[in-house]
Amino acid sequence: MIRRLALLAATVLYANIASAQFLPSEESLSDLYSGKAYSPYANRGFPSRVFWGDTHLHTGLSPDAGLFGNTTGLDEAYRFARGEQVMASSGQPARLARPLDWLVLTEHSDAMGMISDIFAGTPAVMATEQGARWHKALSAGGEESAAAALELITTFSQGQVEPALIGNYVPGTPGYQSVWQSIIDAAERYNEPGRFTALIGFEWTSVPLGNNLHRNVVLRDNGNKASLVEPPVTIPPFGSTDPHHLYDWLEAYEEKTGGKAFALAHNGNLSNGRMFPTEKRFDGSTVDQRYVERRARWEPLYEITQIKGDGEAHPMLSPDDEFADYENWDAGNLDLSEAKTTDMLAAEYAREALKRGFELEARFGTNPYRFGFSGATDSHTSLSTADEDNYFGKSTIAEPSPKRMEHPFTKNENGAFEGYELVASGYTGVWAMENTRASLWDAMVRRETYATTGPRMTVRFFGGWDFTESDLNSRQPAFRGYEKGVPMGADLRTRASDAPSFMVYALRDPIGANLDRIQIVKGWRDADGSLQEKVYDVAWSDDRQPAADGFVPPVGNTVDVENANWFNTIGASELGTVWTDPDFDPAVPAFYYTRVLEIPTPRWVVYDAFRFGVEIPEGAETSGQERAYTSPIWYTPQG
């Protein structure tokens, strides 16, 4: 009894001098702390760690990567992701500043096995005009090989690959089966539960007439189930570019293996208005009940940022958002066979898609665009690099060199994606219970994820009705977040009245830049059917005061372009707040997500200029504010 009173007295004392400390209940202090644990971390039933990884990476097994000169393979990709030093295809040593926790290798499902045969000049390849020509270009290397790679991409996207060539590399053929099995075997070799997770996946590369409809597929399962199937392809008559074809495959996979899989789309900015339809789909067919239900069923995530542009928002869609103009690629579709027009934009960007989802939900009762966010590189170098000072490019010809800023990704009469416009982005943070295939996959499906453009800042976002500043200041806000609300990716628990409150906090990347601000982005559908959005500054650094128009002034810029440097003399190491929606209407559906901005830092072109002693091309941005995007939290009216 005396021991118990002494402990209770100590608890009161510590409550007075350190009110931020997590305090156990009196019940937990009975006896010698048996029964309910004294430790707040024991028996914890929610994710306590964020795991970093990439959902989109190609090795030299992908035809376009191989033609661009990638000679590295599966082993190098996994070793690099795990933190080991490897030799890039360009002959340069490369290593990450910090290992990743997990990786999805996503080789293109179309033409698996073709690139190695083109390298070798096999009889089947040399018997076709395209195959013989690409073999010659690949053997020559350099610019000739790169030109052949761009030609292959265009030829593939326009559906003009010779059937006699592509027919040797479809499901059921020996070469195709062999490559798929090698992908599975490599994932099994490097998967180490608790330390590093190798998720099995692939990229389904639908690109009808150059309009990007790509999806990555991620399996929850081990190799024994993955080996029972082969990925689908898109080239007729062996496959189809229609997403329904992929959904059919996903259904068949789960039925045949008893496993689980999902798909995530990427680069709507290169779809020329086809990624997020509301009326007509890419082939002219009508958006119907079947389409919205199947897309909602199979696509829980969307890749919001990567090498080929950031896909959150566009300034023409969000003119009141001062940060919407970030790394936009808006010249045209993937191969620039069709130039961009402004009427295409609304069906290309994530924020607009989230709003359009409400429109479809009102019509069909299902929201197909209720997705969370992921970030990835889509690198074709086998190297998952998203740090500006360690950026190895989209393809081997864009690995570090004095001239890579000058080499366009694509350029023709319709426009250009200049070499300096490539983006050093991005990664996905997953709040999971443990670093295993099952735990990570489950977290992705429940959308407890966030995307960053590369930095590994820690971000928590909770929605509820009763959060207070005391919850945030407890220094254990996650306990309060799960107890009183829901995390990123979830639906707000129903409540009859009052406005929801949101608890958000962010810690800077330990080796990165300070934070500028936290914003909450809200989108909703008014009673008259109009779609609305608003960006709220909810927490910011350096004691700045909002102007009369409500905008928080810029944080400043410490970037030293000449010396490829920047300084953490502005910004904050951590930011957090509890925010209540001042414009809440309980009668209308809404979503909320968090955008966290760093202070300005140099883009990769600055490091290239400094290290190689070259000029930065005119028009190239030299600094940017890297960011994180949390998966949304949704509110649905009662009834």
Side-chain angles (χ1 to χ4, degrees), residues 498-516:
D498 301 330
S501 59
F502 296 88
M503 182 168 62
V504 56
Y505 59 97
L507 306 177
R508 57 166 260 195
D509 184 327
I511 64 171
N514 278 343
L515 305 179
D516 167 15

Side-chain angles (χ1 to χ4, degrees), residues 120-144:
T122 63
V125 166
M126 302 305 288
T128 66
E129 187 276 332
Q130 289 174 338
R133 179 156 42 85
W134 289 335
H135 168 73
K136 180 181 178 182
L138 195 61
S139 300
E143 293 294 326
E144 191 172 343

Side-chain angles (χ1 to χ4, degrees), residues 573-633:
S573 60
E574 64 176 316
L575 292 171
T577 193
V578 171
W579 175 81
T580 300
D581 181 1
D583 305 307
F584 180 67
D585 182 344
V588 302
F591 65 79
Y592 304 82
Y593 67 85
T594 293
R595 182 171 66 186
V596 182
L597 301 179
E598 287 187 343
I599 65 171
T601 51
R603 289 185 75 246
W604 63 268
V605 299
V606 175
Y607 294 103
D608 272 23
F610 178 76
R611 292 169 182 170
F612 293 120
V614 297
E615 295 294 323
I616 298 174
E618 183 178 355
E621 295 288 340
T622 56
S623 67
Q625 289 189 255
E626 300 216 57
R627 54 201 62 195
Y629 307 112
T630 71
S631 292
I633 293 173

Side-chain angles (χ1 to χ4, degrees), residues 38-109:
Y38 169 85
S39 171
Y41 312 106
N43 301 320
R44 181 164 44 190
F46 60 81
S48 59
R49 180 181 166 190
V50 61
F51 296 99
W52 291 101
D54 187 350
T55 55
H56 194 170
L57 181 68
H58 299 267
T59 77
L61 288 176
S62 287
D64 50 352
L67 276 175
F68 272 124
N70 184 354
T71 57
T72 57
L74 302 165
D75 290 287
E76 288 89 347
Y78 282 122
R79 288 175 50 222
F80 183 80
R82 286 164 60 106
E84 297 180 40
Q85 181 169 306
V86 302
M87 192 65 71
S89 298
S90 55
Q92 304 177 71
R95 188 173 188 174
L96 286 174
R98 294 159 291 180
L100 295 177
D101 299 305
W102 55 270
L103 179 67
V104 191
L105 278 179
T106 52
E107 309 293 4
H108 295 296
S109 61

Side-chain angles (χ1 to χ4, degrees), residues 21 87 130 185 211 221 352 393 402 419 431 460 557 561 594 633:
Q21 181 176 329
M87 192 65 71
Q130 289 174 338
D185 292 343
N211 302 311
D221 310 303
E352 201 68 20
W431 287 104
R460 284 284 207 183
N557 192 328
V561 174
T594 293
I633 293 173

Side-chain angles (χ1 to χ4, degrees), residues 288 300 319 439 489:
D288 57 14
S439 188

